Amino acid sequence: MSTLSEIICREAAERGVLPFARFMELALYCPVHGYYETEKDNPGRHGDFYTSVGVGELFGQFLAFQFAEWLQAEVQSPNPLAREQASKVQIVEAGAHDGRLAKDILAWLQLKRPKLFDQIEYWVIEPSPRRQKWQKETLKNFAPRVRWFASFQSLLQERTCHSSPATRHPPLHGIIFSNELLDAMPVHRLGWDAKSKKWFEWGVTVSGEKFVWARIQPLAFSLQPSALESVLPDGYTIETCPAAQNWWREAANVLGRGRLLTIDYGFTADELFSPGRRHGTLRAYFRHHARDDLLANVGEQDLTAHVNFSAIQKAGEACGLTTESFSTQAQFLTRILEKTLREKTFGDWSSAQTRQFQTLTHPEHLGRAFRVLVQSR
Ligand SMILES: C[S@@+](CC[C@H](N)C(=O)[O-])C[C@H]1O[C@@H](n2cnc3c(N)ncnc32)[C@H](O)[C@@H]1O
């Protein structure tokens, strides 16, 4: 048994049955042993899955172009207060993993928008010291400009402790973004018991040397009842991710002015809660193949679930953000492409750039399943 399995077994022995969300948290993020602590080369061609970042530099360059357009509008705002606040603007990334996307974005800004680049601070929200180390290595050429915070809480503490209560306001002015972050957050897995017409939670316990599923009933949290329940088949499965909604709320609350954006695969609540999708969206990935056994290969396979964008959108709006757009990755990047062509920003396209754009936007690759939510304050 691996050290990580032993850690999970010990906790399961103490608690009886672990909610799947706790199992997933340990499997992915247990310090030193979790999947994302050890798998530096994931995402990537040699890993278990790849993301838009691994397609090539174009993804980061397009984001950089869009970020520059948004930030430039702030820096040049006719409103003197907004202009003064914008003398320094921030780009904040979470889920930066090995720092590749940050590098693509900063390199493009430095080359193509040097004046704005001087006003930008790049902050990374990264709870893991090990991943911070990977990121610092990748971003060493941008060292003075990049700062790390373990959480939004620590960012808040540091930024507000020197200001007087009268002048305190959310400290961030710019853009907070993530790519494939929310799908990697621990989800609760719920099942429908058609006989008793009740939801239960799937938990994890140990049998011999294996992790096995066990029901937890009653539910520890409330679910909004849906008219669809009367037609759901027995065992119908969904996931819910309070961690993602909490994260979004925390991000919204540090954003004084600017945009909060996430790119990920996911659905609206209606698309997710469809009677036809009876097994939920939770998947394990190992060497580019989806695996059925979510409890096997602990720490060696990725675990991920589709994002419920309606829940995320609602969480942001409840914190006072306005939803600017919700689109597919193909629509989002094509709008950027049109602007870059008008401005001739990228000059003549190489065949590599064309290939990258096609992969990022083709409906059967990353174009349709990935969605982009942009909210602003
Ligand atoms: C699927 S990977 C995506 C990596 C990268 N953004 C990309 O697109 O290639 C998810 C990353 O999010 C990180 N992560 C998960 N929860 C986090 C949190 N609360 N704060 C910051 N990063 C987190 C994971 O450690 C992992 O590096």
Side-chain angles (χ1 to χ4, degrees):
M1 212 181 226
S2 69
T3 311
L4 178 59
S5 297
E6 279 171 14
I7 292 171
I8 302 177
C9 273
R10 266 201 303 278
E11 192 169 319
E14 277 162 27
R15 293 177 58 176
V17 180
L18 294 181
F20 176 78
R22 177 63 181 157
F23 173 88
M24 183 168 170
E25 186 183 357
L26 288 168
L28 298 185
Y29 303 111
C30 178
V32 183
H33 305 291
Y35 177 80
Y36 279 115
E37 288 281 306
T38 53
E39 299 281 341
K40 179 169 187 259
D41 294 336
N42 264 318
R45 198 159 294 146
H46 304 294
D48 300 316
F49 62 96
Y50 70 93
T51 68
S52 296
V53 182
V55 171
E57 292 164 353
L58 191 75
F59 181 66
Q61 293 172 343
F62 266 39
L63 287 183
F65 175 91
Q66 182 58 76
F67 292 174
E69 189 188 80
W70 285 335
L71 294 174
Q72 222 128 30
E74 291 294 322
V75 177
Q76 295 160 355
S77 165
N79 174 344
L81 179 65
R83 232 180 14 249
E84 191 199 316
Q85 285 176 346
S87 62
K88 280 280 176 219
V89 283
Q90 291 89 35
I91 297 178
V92 182
E93 181 181 2
H97 200 65
D98 61 0
R100 239 182 311 170
L101 180 55
K103 187 176 167 196
D104 292 342
I105 291 173
L106 283 164
W108 190 88
L109 289 170
Q110 187 174 38
L111 191 68
K112 300 284 186 173
R113 299 288 186 272
K115 203 159 156 247
L116 179 67
F117 181 75
D118 285 339
Q119 289 176 273
I120 289 175
E121 298 170 313
Y122 201 101
W123 295 347
V124 179
I125 306 292
E126 179 53 76
S128 155
R130 183 175 288 193
R131 290 193 299 272
Q132 280 199 12
K133 209 167 139 223
W134 300 341
Q135 293 155 7
K136 282 176 184 162
E137 174 59 28
T138 308
L139 297 172
K140 55 180 185 284
N141 291 343
F142 300 101
R145 195 167 302 272
V146 189
R147 291 198 55 195
W148 278 263
F149 297 91
S151 62
F152 285 121
Q153 202 49 41
S154 59
L155 185 156
L156 259 182
Q157 270 161 10
E158 182 171 325
R159 300 290 291 184
T160 51
C161 68
H162 300 302
S163 60
S164 74
T167 58
R168 249 171 231 171
H169 51 79
L172 214 142
H173 190 176
I175 293 158
I176 305 176
F177 83 101
S178 61
N179 185 59
E180 290 209 39
L181 166 73
L182 303 180
D183 73 82
M185 293 201 172
V187 293
H188 291 265
R189 189 170 194 235
L190 310 180
W192 176 246
D193 183 331
K195 202 158 154 224
S196 66
K197 302 224 168 300
K198 284 202 172 92
W199 291 98
F200 61 89
E201 177 163 9
W202 280 115
V204 179
T205 190
V206 184
S207 169
E209 296 250 300
K210 279 178 67 185
F211 293 110
V212 293
W213 294 103
R215 290 183 181 208
I216 304 174
Q217 222 156 9
L219 271 191
F221 44 87
S222 59
L223 261 191
Q224 240 182 3
S226 157
L228 290 181
E229 283 172 354
S230 59
V231 296
L232 293 182
D234 189 47
Y236 180 87
T237 304
I238 52 168
E239 301 89 22
T240 170
C241 191
Q245 291 163 49
N246 289 340
W247 187 91
W248 196 261
R249 274 189 280 273
E250 280 185 41
N253 288 333
V254 297
L255 185 66
R257 219 182 132 88
R259 286 177 175 81
L260 174 56
L261 160 146
T262 196
I263 306 167
D264 220 317
Y265 44 90
F267 292 123
T268 62
D270 286 348
E271 289 166 335
L272 261 181
F273 198 57
S274 126
R277 189 190 314 286
R278 58 178 299 169
H279 301 297
T281 67
L282 190 58
R283 299 284 179 272
Y285 280 92
F286 188 70
R287 306 275 174 258
H288 292 278
H289 291 289
R291 291 280 185 104
D292 289 336
D293 194 348
L294 303 171
L295 307 182
N297 305 313
V298 186
E300 288 170 20
Q301 62 182 14
D302 190 24
L303 295 168
T304 167
H306 279 51
V307 174
N308 179 342
F309 277 105
S310 307
I312 299 299
Q313 185 174 335
K314 244 194 225 164
E317 287 169 0
C319 295
L321 300 188
T322 304
T323 300
E324 277 197 2
S325 64
F326 176 56
S327 47
T328 63
Q329 176 159 295
Q331 290 165 330
F332 182 74
L333 294 181
T334 303
R335 279 199 295 269
I336 298 176
L337 173 69
E338 284 162 2
K339 286 187 266 191
T340 65
L341 290 176
R342 271 200 300 275
E343 295 180 19
K344 299 192 174 41
T345 320
F346 284 80
D348 290 334
W349 273 46
S350 65
S351 54
Q353 283 171 313
T354 305
R355 258 197 322 275
Q356 288 176 34
F357 188 79
Q358 281 169 349
T359 308
L360 292 168
T361 54
H362 194 287
E364 274 157 35
H365 291 288
L366 302 166
R368 186 167 49 203
F370 281 77
R371 310 267 178 100
V372 187
L373 174 65
V374 184
Q375 295 191 316
S376 64
R377 189 192 302 286

